[in-house]
Amino acid sequence: MGTRSLISKETGYKTEVESKYCHWDGYPSHNGVLLDENYNTEDDIDNLLSEEGYMSSLGDSIESTKFSGKDITDFHADEQTLLEDGNSMGVEYIYLFKNGEWYVSCTHPECPDVPYKKFILLSDVLKTL
């Protein structure tokens, strides 16, 4: 069973957020580390989100990221809508790049490492792993 996640960023249009679905390894000790170490510029994230298909699994580069099937890229009105949409999609973790930093939230109350429906700095979570 996959640990599903959304990888997202603010678009720069008001509070709009763009996201792409990732099926495997969404927990912070995997996808969180990869995002923090390898995707730290707007260009990196734009290139990742512009690839065709959903992410089957995130790699340490776009070339090593596995994309599959139909594209699952969405636009959300704001962070709150992103959290609600992620919950309805059945993802466990949502990563959001804004103001040059990664944030993470969990859509299930039982996540051991990330607050429920509240974005916090990913770097703070990674310090506890």
Side-chain angles (χ1 to χ4, degrees), residues 33-94:
V33 169
L34 288 172
L35 291 168
D36 184 63
E37 292 179 355
N38 302 289
Y39 300 92
N40 291 302
T41 69
E42 292 280 334
D43 286 342
D44 291 338
I45 300 154
D46 286 342
N47 290 335
L48 184 65
L49 296 178
S50 69
E51 290 290 319
E52 289 295 318
Y54 68 88
M55 283 179 258
S56 178
S57 64
L58 180 65
D60 61 3
S61 67
I62 292 173
E63 294 77 26
S64 65
T65 297
K66 293 180 175 74
F67 293 91
S68 302
K70 182 182 170 197
D71 194 26
I72 306 177
T73 300
D74 290 307
F75 290 88
H76 316 272
D78 53 32
E79 287 180 27
Q80 186 59 42
T81 305
L82 172 65
L83 288 168
E84 292 166 9
D85 292 348
N87 191 34
S88 68
M89 292 176 71
V91 301
E92 286 87 3
Y93 294 97
I94 300 175

Side-chain angles (χ1 to χ4, degrees), residues 26-29 32 83 92-95 103-126 128-129:
Y27 41 88
S29 61
L83 288 168
E92 286 87 3
Y93 294 97
I94 300 175
Y95 296 93
Y103 292 79
V104 63
S105 181
C106 184
T107 63
H108 298 287
E110 63 272 1
C111 289
D113 44 6
V114 176
Y116 174 60
K117 290 191 175 183
K118 177 183 176 191
F119 282 105
I120 63 169
L121 281 170
L122 176 59
S123 59
D124 289 344
V125 172
L126 296 179
T128 67
L129 299 180

